[in-house]
Amino acid sequence: MQTADDFIQQLELEQHVEGGYYRSSFRSQSDFDTTRSLWSSIYFLLRTGEVSHFHRLTSDEMWYFHAGQSLTIYMIDEQGELTTAQLGLDIAAGERPQFLVPKGCIFGSAMNQPGFSLVGCMVSPGFTFDNFELFSQQTLLAQYPQHQTIIERLSRPE
């Protein structure tokens, strides 16, 4: 059975600024515009105690579960509503093996159980750091104080 460290080493994952580990795996050879490809894809891995901090993309992002334990994707939409999605293979328990996070949504993720979670994330139009915004606790708490508990868990102080 493979461990998180096996995947990190064998897939050559590196630390991501939002938390966890990642590596770009594919990028469309077709262009969306002069600055972005039509789509891009990464491997993304979280281990026990790690989270993907709240961030926002200007593109849709499709998540695919690959291995390990399930995780929860936390999303704050443009109206300030917090919703969650369970990414995993226990369909009877409400998990799904893939889930779309819509563009413009503030989102992050965390493990549901100890272990690790290996997922894939496909972004269209393709990901660039110019289209990525990472949020601090102070910024989010000022806008969404009703979500204090999850904001404190999935964001860093300034």
Side-chain angles (χ1 to χ4, degrees):
M1 182 166 142
Q2 291 189 300
T3 67
D5 289 338
D6 292 334
F7 282 115
I8 290 168
Q9 180 182 22
Q10 293 168 8
L11 294 174
E12 301 176 4
L13 305 180
E14 52 191 70
Q15 289 187 316
H16 198 298
V17 66
E18 78 188 46
Y21 293 81
Y22 84 108
R23 181 174 71 83
S24 178
S25 53
F26 297 98
R27 186 168 289 278
S28 170
Q29 297 303 307
S30 300
D31 291 335
F32 174 76
D33 60 22
T34 59
T35 62
R36 294 186 292 178
S37 60
L38 188 58
W39 58 268
S40 60
S41 186
I42 64 167
Y43 292 115
F44 184 71
L45 183 139
L46 290 177
R47 298 181 298 188
T48 301
E50 297 174 338
V51 300
S52 167
H53 292 95
F54 275 124
H55 60 287
R56 179 170 45 205
L57 301 178
T58 61
S59 301
D60 290 338
E61 183 170 64
M62 180 66 81
W63 287 54
Y64 301 94
F65 182 81
H66 292 311
Q69 302 298 319
S70 62
L71 60 76
T72 299
I73 303 169
Y74 298 87
M75 298 159 284
I76 302 173
D77 67 19
E78 293 177 357
Q79 290 73 42
E81 182 181 349
L82 176 68
T83 58
T84 62
Q86 306 303 312
L87 194 68
L89 298 179
D90 190 348
I91 306 302
E95 296 175 0
R96 295 291 178 253
Q98 61 185 35
F99 183 81
L100 179 71
V101 176
K103 69 179 180 178
C105 187
I106 297 169
F107 68 102
S109 63
M111 300 287 305
N112 292 334
Q113 302 171 31
F116 72 92
S117 184
L118 176 66
V119 303
C121 299
M122 197 274 298
V123 175
S124 179
F127 177 86
T128 68
F129 276 101
D130 290 340
N131 304 106
F132 170 87
E133 182 179 9
L134 188 63
F135 291 90
S136 70
Q137 275 182 14
Q138 289 81 357
T139 299
L140 292 176
L141 287 172
Q143 293 179 20
Y144 310 107
Q146 70 273 30
H147 306 310
Q148 179 177 352
T149 301
I150 194 62
I151 287 171
E152 288 177 347
R153 182 174 177 208
L154 296 185
S155 60
R156 298 179 183 119
E158 286 185 290

